[in-house]
Amino acid sequence: MILPVSCHLLVGKEKGIDSIVGFKDFVYYPAKCTSCNYSGNYFWDRFSYYAGQGYTVGNSLSKARNDLVVKEGNDGGYGSYYIDGAVNYPSSTRLTSPDWGESWNSEPFGIDPFDPVALHVVATSEETIDGIEYKDIHTKEGVEIRRKANTNELVWLQAPTSTKGGQEPISKEEALEKGRSFAQEQVNGFKNMELVKAEEVIHIPGDTLYTFTWRPKNNGVWGASQVTAEVDRRTGAVVYFSANRKNASTDPLKVTKEEAIKMAKRVAGEGEIQGAIAEVWDKPRWVVTMDHGNRNTTINGQTLSFPSRTQVIVDGTTGDVERMMK
């Protein structure tokens, strides 16, 4: 079985649980809403779909993360997923029966830096998500690739990472250059993007990655594109790649930062403003993040303290609150 755990701590192994999914970053769910399909609801909905199609837990999480970025312009913290469990390779667990001759689990192996067009394709499939048609490519080397069906543009890639070996890890600067070079080859207009995130990340026991994210900026407003590359520190390979864009709106940003914060406080209450970011994703908007301190929860007689944060999306043209997530 697989146990999803939305928490900010790494979770250990439990006997009988094949895969445990936790998050090292803060993750958001729709506040006061159980039926709406965005943020965490959308992420788990997409994960369930891919897992039901026979993808491994690791690839299902990766694809769901990418789909969430396409829909909302960011991964809501779900890109920090960490997979552990009782089996040797919990990220390789499948929730469906394996095909004839296929094992339940496979040992992750490192892959040298590669050219996506030189891989050995074993199968292809088609997906339509929110009206956009994609072609998914499955390779003998364990690399999964998604391209737009009409343009053949690379929008998602997931490759095996190295979990063993004595290779000397490359530096953060070297990893950044490898990720940047890969993105420049794959994404038109990448040279106009700015680096907005650079940090270490681990998704499965034993791997060690750097993750980098770029976005374009115009007159102080982040544009409707986002590129993320994760580089294996042992091999220098780009093992995760996401390049997504929406049609940039021509509507002006009419709502001021102060007005957006005022609207956010009206629906979320008082709290320390951690950020109010102007961006375009489908249309102009403000993303306001508030910190309400810690909240205490009692589980099995033990009192636990968790951070309490709210993210409010304010329409940048009308000032209306589109959604609130906690």
Side-chain angles (χ1 to χ4, degrees), residues 265 269-275 288-293 308-310:
K265 287 185 174 182
E270 290 297 322
E272 180 183 349
I273 301 298
Q274 290 192 315
V288 182
T289 305
M290 304 175 65
D291 188 343
H292 307 286
S308 177
R309 299 178 192 170
T310 304

Side-chain angles (χ1 to χ4, degrees), residues 16 18 71 111 137 140 143 152 181 211 298:
D18 295 338
K71 182 176 178 65
I111 185 166
I137 302 167
K140 179 181 179 181
V143 181
N152 208 38
S181 297
T211 181
T298 301

Side-chain angles (χ1 to χ4, degrees), residues 99-116:
D99 292 333
W100 178 259
E102 183 181 57
S103 63
W104 274 104
N105 298 292
S106 60
E107 180 175 347
F109 58 93
I111 185 166
D112 290 332
F114 57 91
D115 181 352

Side-chain angles (χ1 to χ4, degrees), residues 75-88:
D75 65 18
Y78 289 92
S80 69
Y81 63 84
Y82 182 86
I83 312 168
D84 209 333
V87 297
N88 288 333

